[in-house]
Amino acid sequence: MTIKEIPLPDLGSSTPVTVIEIPIQVGDQIQKEDTLLTLEGEKASMDVPSPVTGIIKAIHVKLGDKVNTGHLIASIETSADMAHATPVAAASPQTPATAAPPPAATAFSSEETISPGNVHAGPAVRSLAKALDINLATLKGSGHKNRITKEDLFNHIKQAMTAGGSAFPKAPEVDFSQFGNTEAHALSRIKKWTATNLHRNWVLIPHVTQFDEADITDLEAYRKLQLAEAGKQGAKLTLLAFVMKACVAALRKFPQFNASLSPDNSELILKHYFHFGIAVDTPEGLVVPVIRDVDQKGLMQLAAELTVVSQKARDNALTPKDMQGSSFTISSLGGIGGTAFTPIINMPDVAILGLSRAAQKPVYQNNQFIPRLMLPLSLSYDHRVIDGAEGARFITYLSACLSDIRTVLL
Ligand code: CAO
């Protein structure tokens, strides 16, 4: 194993250039010629390729840094095995600790971008385009100096889909009047907006829904004891506030559920905050306001906020800010009914918990059936990020927390 310090190659100019993209992370396994950085000078941008195959041990620049020839970029650990992994001649174990400069970088002297096929785009956009089989040369860039951005790529896909290039067959047009009388009602603005989002989330995320039941007999008895106190404080203490606290405990234990996948699917972004989207049913349709910092609030405060936010939703008075920033979502249909359902993930969250109506059920304990109040839980999660075993562990732990709320204190 050898650590190689990688300096910025000769740029052919003494003018500093700006680091605009860093597609690597510490721990990444990279191949020779993989992009380490994208730089932008006055006239063009360019990628800096790695001179070796290896594992990134340290990155010595950050976005926005102004750098010049010789500036230390990264430390890369190489080994004989890795060196042989690349078909191109790679560093041998005898290679001195300081690597030769990376393949000469082309000077920032041209209006043209130095990248394959003269396409002006960063490595993240290029690898996304490659994965989606899109020829970037056919796109017009809207970024600085016509750089192709992720938005350009998404707009291109959207256009292709609406132009009939979609992989999905269109719904058939049917004249229903041939079967009987009908009347058409325009969808509300909220319903149209929800339809677009739910469809996108359903198509883009491979959902799995895991079901369980929590024994909330003791919790419900405790909630009833607290109702009068909550009433004095003007709050309606429903089960939902308790479930929110139990979810914080479960998310702390399984942080990959309190996360988002980066748009290029290369990173899982773990959130150190607990902001919960709460699905609220309104006459205009479904809205999802966000209750912030659930971990820092008591039951009574959560109950009071739930009352305020659901009223605001039903008064059509939520602002876009009220609906931003969720890290996990809960959809409770418990006040209405049903035994289980498959909630659709509220992207960019990676999981959503559905609650159905609690009911008395016979549970076999100590050689006899006894009536217990059972709450059905339906947890949908993004299978790209969460394995089935993790889904089952999360819901089992959540169920244990609800069955004995003291567990959340552990
Ligand atoms: N089991 C049994 N009873 C339940 C229950 C459950 N899981 N959850 C709530 N209840 C009871 C409450 O205790 C309350 O009883 P009382 O009126 O006797 O006090 C009653 O049902 C109504 O509760 P609620 O709905 O007003 O309050 P909540 O805190 O449970 O829920 C809110 C608040 C805003 C989430 C809910 O009103 C709502 O809009 N739910 C619909 C969400 C939705 O449409 N989801 C579908 C989205 S698709 O994924």
Side-chain angles (χ1 to χ4, degrees):
M1 298 280 179
T2 314
I3 301 284
K4 294 187 185 301
E5 305 295 350
I6 313 296
L8 195 64
D10 185 8
L11 301 175
S13 156
S14 57
T15 318
V17 290
T18 310
V19 178
I20 59 165
E21 250 179 283
I22 308 177
I24 47 165
Q25 279 185 5
V26 172
D28 279 357
Q29 160 86 60
I30 55 151
Q31 299 294 319
K32 186 174 173 180
E33 299 298 327
D34 278 357
T35 300
L36 296 176
L37 299 178
T38 304
L39 304 171
E40 187 160 69
E42 267 179 16
K43 293 188 176 163
S45 68
M46 65 165 302
D47 295 341
V48 178
S50 172
V52 292
T53 291
I55 295 171
I56 304 287
K57 288 307 211 185
I59 299 170
H60 305 293
V61 289
K62 53 185 192 320
L63 285 180
D65 277 358
K66 301 266 185 218
V67 291
N68 227 327
T69 302
H71 191 110
L72 198 57
I73 303 174
S75 308
I76 302 180
E77 183 183 273
T78 63
S79 72
D81 287 348
M82 286 168 182
H84 292 135
T86 162
V88 199
S92 74
Q94 287 79 33
T95 312
T98 303
T106 312
F108 292 99
S109 56
S110 156
E111 285 295 333
E112 294 290 343
T113 296
I114 315 305
S115 60
N118 265 351
V119 167
H120 188 171
V125 169
R126 257 187 271 132
S127 64
L128 195 58
K130 199 172 160 206
L132 295 167
D133 204 17
I134 293 170
N135 179 2
L136 283 180
T138 61
L139 266 70
K140 227 175 152 234
S142 67
H144 184 55
K145 301 215 167 81
N146 301 332
R147 188 177 175 79
I148 298 171
T149 63
K150 267 192 197 150
E151 276 62 44
D152 295 329
L153 201 56
F154 291 143
N155 285 338
H156 175 79
I157 297 165
K158 232 188 270 171
Q159 269 171 20
M161 288 176 81
T162 44
S166 160
F168 305 107
K170 280 185 86 179
E173 274 181 41
V174 179
D175 175 12
F176 297 105
S177 66
Q178 59 183 309
F179 307 118
N181 290 337
T182 60
E183 58 180 73
H185 290 265
L187 291 183
S188 70
R189 188 180 51 84
I190 290 180
K191 281 214 155 124
K192 280 189 195 153
W193 187 76
T194 307
T196 307
N197 286 343
L198 289 177
H199 186 212
R200 179 200 59 194
N201 300 356
W202 182 249
V203 169
L204 290 184
I205 305 173
H207 283 65
V208 175
T209 306
Q210 170 73 59
F211 304 102
D212 201 357
E213 281 183 330
D215 183 338
I216 57 162
T217 316
D218 299 340
L219 181 60
E220 183 60 5
Y222 179 70
R223 185 184 77 89
K224 284 204 168 128
L225 282 178
Q226 300 305 317
L227 276 181
E229 181 56 36
K232 274 191 225 153
Q233 297 185 29
K236 186 181 170 200
L237 184 59
T238 59
L239 196 58
L240 193 49
F242 292 91
V243 173
M244 290 168 83
K245 289 310 264 187
C247 283
V248 170
L251 293 171
R252 280 211 168 104
K253 198 168 168 69
F254 302 95
Q256 69 273 36
F257 287 78
N258 199 41
S260 286
L261 194 57
S262 65
D264 65 358
N265 297 349
S266 68
E267 287 178 322
L268 183 64
I269 300 150
L270 301 179
K271 321 259 174 84
H272 294 301
Y273 52 84
F274 298 86
H275 301 340
F276 289 0
I278 303 291
V280 179
D281 172 44
T282 79
E284 292 292 301
L286 174 71
V287 286
V288 190
V290 175
I291 297 204
R292 278 161 212 281
D293 301 312
V294 176
D295 56 319
Q296 294 165 34
K297 292 175 181 164
L299 286 168
M300 300 299 176
Q301 188 177 351
L302 289 176
E305 283 193 27
L306 274 170
T307 309
V308 169
V309 101
S310 49
Q311 194 49 51
K312 208 171 165 190
R314 284 167 187 143
D315 292 344
N316 214 353
L318 291 172
T319 63
K321 202 164 169 262
D322 291 328
M323 293 184 275
Q324 281 166 7
S326 79
S327 58
F328 183 75
T329 299
I330 303 179
S331 174
S332 174
L333 295 176
I336 304 169
T339 53
F341 65 111
T342 54
I344 297 179
I345 295 164
N346 183 24
M347 207 170 184
D349 295 357
V350 294
I352 180 169
L353 178 72
L355 302 177
S356 298
R357 192 164 192 77
Q360 293 285 350
K361 290 197 175 174
V363 174
Y364 198 68
Q365 273 178 6
N366 302 327
N367 296 325
Q368 57 175 337
F369 282 105
I370 50 170
R372 303 292 291 177
L373 186 62
M374 304 302 287
L375 172 69
L377 306 172
S378 307
L379 174 77
S380 293
Y381 57 83
D382 184 337
H383 209 354
R384 293 172 302 174
V385 176
I386 293 158
D387 296 334
E390 292 171 323
R393 281 188 201 108
F394 181 94
I395 208 166
T396 303
Y397 183 73
L398 180 65
S399 175
C401 288
L402 291 167
S403 299
D404 185 347
I405 200 71
R406 291 171 301 183
T407 312
V408 307
L409 302 171
L410 293 176

